[in-house]
Amino acid sequence: MQVPSGVVLLTDRRVARGGLVRVVAAAVAGGVRWVVLRERDLPRVERLALAVELRSILTEVGGTLLVAGPDPLLGDKPGRPASAEKAGSRTWAGATGTGSSLTALHLSAAGPYPPPPADLVGRSCHDPAELRRLTTEDYVTLSPVFPTRTKPGYGPPLLAAGLAELIRLSPVPALALGGIETPDQVHACVQAGATGVAVLGAIMRAHDPQQTASSLTARSGHGRPQPPTATTEPQTKHEDMP
């Protein structure tokens, strides 16, 4: 089973510079192959339409859209939950490039337990107790690794040593999450044992999200740097949990 790796992009339409779809498309052009659709406050019909649009961008490059929360949104038959269609199938559309048959969810630490049926399930975790609650999940995010403006005071931050310890305890592969904005931070997380990093503000707020995604992906070991663009601006710290 392939799990998220490299740079995983978390969406936030409120801070996406120039529009969420534009930023995601640029990040994909910069090497991102995994996107977690958040936007849980949207009405379901609007969130579904956004999911369809984002997945079409990812499908072109063999990428995968994950949906935050227990509602998978995307199914083969209109009006029927994808989990009902795909329970137990474990079809890996991200590898085949078809995109239409993968049900991928990312759940919070709060639940539900066990996860609903899906082809790929991730869970946000923050400590050993939450790792011990895992059942059939395929991967976890571990956070916060670094201080983050979105949730000031949340933590304390794991830092590289704390991240490495939780990865050692985790029964499944882990992504690092929280306050990750620079290539050096990405490298530190990978060195600690993470399969990749989940980022939000570093790309969502970027003046050039393609170049930012490329530079972060290159340090994750899952991409190649692209030529620098003519104009850049400092990144604003902003990170969040799915």
Side-chain angles (χ1 to χ4, degrees), residues 36-87:
V36 179
L37 173 62
R38 297 164 71 248
E39 321 308 326
R40 296 185 64 178
D41 60 314
L42 282 176
R44 189 181 190 280
V45 64
E46 294 181 22
R47 194 170 183 239
L48 175 58
L50 181 57
V52 170
E53 188 169 11
L54 296 184
R55 192 164 70 171
S56 69
I57 294 171
L58 285 155
T59 297
E60 292 181 358
V61 295
T64 302
L65 181 71
L66 300 107
V67 177
D71 181 356
L73 290 178
L74 297 164
D76 288 342
K77 295 181 180 179
R80 188 173 184 185
S83 57
E85 295 297 316
K86 299 300 172 184

Side-chain angles (χ1 to χ4, degrees), residues 150-163:
T150 300
K151 295 186 177 181
Y154 185 74
L158 296 167
L159 303 180
L163 173 64

Side-chain angles (χ1 to χ4, degrees), residues 84-96:
E85 295 297 316
K86 299 300 172 184
S89 70
R90 313 302 289 184
T91 301
W92 189 250
T96 65

Side-chain angles (χ1 to χ4, degrees), residues 98-205:
T98 61
S100 62
S101 58
L102 176 66
T103 303
L105 302 175
H106 189 89
L107 307 173
S108 72
Y113 290 91
D119 295 306
L120 181 70
V121 177
R123 173 92 60 187
S124 296
C125 292
H126 312 87
D127 54 43
E130 291 177 351
L131 288 173
R132 287 193 294 269
R133 294 186 66 190
L134 297 175
T135 55
T136 60
E137 291 84 351
D138 299 296
Y139 74 94
V140 295
T141 57
L142 299 174
S143 63
V145 179
F146 300 108
T148 169
R149 286 188 181 184
T150 300
K151 295 186 177 181
Y154 185 74
L158 296 167
L159 303 180
L163 173 64
E165 177 61 18
L166 285 186
I167 290 173
R168 185 184 69 81
L169 297 174
S170 177
V172 293
L175 296 169
L177 168 65
I180 300 167
E181 302 182 356
T182 70
D184 285 347
Q185 288 176 322
V186 173
H187 182 67
C189 293
V190 173
Q191 289 293 102
T195 62
V197 299
V199 302
L200 192 154
I203 294 177
M204 285 285 119
R205 288 180 175 268

Side-chain angles (χ1 to χ4, degrees), residues 192-218:
T195 62
V197 299
V199 302
L200 192 154
I203 294 177
M204 285 285 119
R205 288 180 175 268
H207 179 76
D208 186 343
Q210 179 175 342
Q211 175 59 28
T212 300
S214 178
S215 64
L216 295 178
T217 300

